[in-house]
Amino acid sequence: MKKTTHFGYQQVDANEKAGRVAEVFHSVASKYDVMNDFMSMGIHRLWKRYTIDISGVRPGHKVLDLAGGTGDLAKAFSKKVGATGEVVLSDINASMLSEGRSRMLDAGVANNMRFVQANAEALPFPDNTFNCVTMAFGLRNVTDKDAALRSIYRVLKPGGRLLVLEFSRPTNSLFRKIYDEYSFRVIPKVGEAVTGDRDSYQYLVESIRMHPDQDTLKGMMEEAGFDRSDYINLTNGVVAIHRGFKL
Ligand SMILES: C[S@@+](CC[C@H](N)C(=O)[O-])C[C@H]1O[C@@H](n2cnc3c(N)ncnc32)[C@H](O)[C@@H]1O
């Protein structure tokens, strides 16, 4: 029997999902940053700053920013790890990675960076390579999330940590209703106005609803081997930072 999975609210053949996700990010790559600011009213910058603050990354560390796209996290990590460290900005999508690479070169932070096109489900790095792996707003798009978590666990050094920053389930039911109205009525329209692509932003809001909630993802991280797995809700659980360690 054919294996199926969700692409937003649509049920698709599991082999098709990565291609459909790729179309979304090829389409929005050049307008990705400006849309993030519009949709979140700039708040995504605070969520990312908090992620960096709790990363434990120090000079000399090796960091993998997975599904790193245009490189907001990678840029900050480049400064933290310094000349003796290394940041790998990695993404499955050539258009997003190319935007990221240009931004890093323009910002003058590419000296201690590598750019690697890779699928999170099968990372092309040796075991025990990184002190920290981050994945911001990426896991939601991955077809086999369990395979991705196992792959991340493998490439972390013992003592290393994973931080997954991802949309999640708001904790307050009234707030959830208002947020749903905003998401479904406003975001696809703004997406269409800014990028000319309504469907990609319809996918965005649907994919958020299909993503595992806080406790489910915590359990998946434990299942993949992570120790001391926990999460921190931000903005009432609109997003959560999941954290886990490799012992
Ligand atoms: C919403 S963007 C996030 C970009 C960046 N991390 C940020 O926070 O601004 C999601 C990214 O995940 C990437 N992605 C989707 N599926 C992936 C996979 N299986 N492996 C690696 N990256 C993937 C997409 O290409 C896209 O660049």
Side-chain angles (χ1 to χ4, degrees):
M1 209 173 67
K2 267 196 174 168
K3 217 175 153 199
T4 62
T5 189
H6 51 84
F7 173 76
Y9 287 170
Q10 297 171 44
Q11 205 56 29
V12 298
D13 187 316
N15 296 321
E16 253 180 56
K17 176 161 169 165
R20 301 283 297 271
V21 170
E23 282 169 22
V24 167
F25 289 103
H26 284 308
S27 163
V28 304
S30 63
K31 297 277 172 46
Y32 177 78
D33 290 326
V34 70
M35 262 308 282
N36 270 357
D37 279 330
F38 262 116
M39 284 183 308
S40 73
M41 295 169 247
I43 298 172
H44 75 104
R45 292 166 186 263
L46 302 179
W47 297 333
K48 286 172 178 165
R49 193 174 308 154
Y50 190 73
T51 308
I52 291 154
D53 286 348
I54 64 165
S55 66
V57 168
R58 297 195 302 272
H61 273 183
K62 285 188 93 168
V63 178
L64 171 63
D65 183 20
L66 189 54
T70 55
D72 280 347
L73 292 182
K75 184 175 162 194
F77 285 133
S78 162
K79 293 172 188 159
K80 273 194 174 283
V81 303
T84 56
E86 185 183 49
V87 177
V88 178
L89 173 56
S90 177
D91 200 287
I92 196 172
N93 188 292
S95 304
M96 291 295 282
L97 198 56
S98 157
E99 288 288 329
R101 190 165 186 277
S102 304
R103 273 189 71 202
M104 298 305 105
L105 288 167
D106 288 349
V109 294
N111 286 349
N112 58 359
M113 271 195 200
R114 278 197 293 143
F115 302 90
V116 178
Q117 190 175 357
N119 186 343
E121 293 169 9
L123 292 170
F125 307 107
D127 296 359
N128 309 324
T129 302
F130 297 101
N131 300 93
C132 179
V133 177
T134 52
M135 196 172 191
F137 307 110
L139 189 62
R140 196 181 70 246
N141 301 293
V142 174
T143 309
D144 189 343
K145 297 174 185 45
D146 296 315
L149 292 171
R150 287 194 300 271
S151 183
I152 294 167
Y153 187 85
R154 181 184 65 73
V155 301
L156 273 173
K157 288 180 196 276
R161 80 182 72 176
L162 165 65
L163 295 171
V164 177
L165 172 63
E166 190 51 273
F167 290 105
S168 205
R169 186 175 160 80
T171 47
N172 175 290
S173 59
L174 176 62
F175 180 86
R176 202 156 54 229
K177 278 196 185 117
I178 298 165
Y179 172 65
D180 276 348
E181 285 291 306
Y182 169 72
S183 304
F184 284 96
R185 287 186 193 276
V186 179
I187 289 181
K189 280 194 190 133
V190 176
E192 185 169 28
V194 176
T195 68
D197 177 357
R198 186 192 180 96
D199 291 350
S200 290
Y201 287 91
Q202 184 70 30
Y203 162 71
L204 167 75
V205 293
E206 291 179 4
S207 68
I208 290 170
R209 271 66 190 180
M210 298 305 287
H211 187 63
D213 67 12
Q214 287 87 333
D215 287 321
T216 308
L217 181 52
K218 177 173 184 277
M220 287 164 69
M221 284 179 57
E222 283 163 355
E223 193 62 30
F226 286 94
D227 198 64
R228 285 156 52 205
S229 174
D230 66 357
Y231 61 82
I232 302 158
N233 283 324
L234 302 177
T235 317
N236 202 277
V238 168
V239 304
I241 301 180
H242 280 77
R243 177 170 50 183
F245 294 81
K246 177 169 173 178
L247 283 191

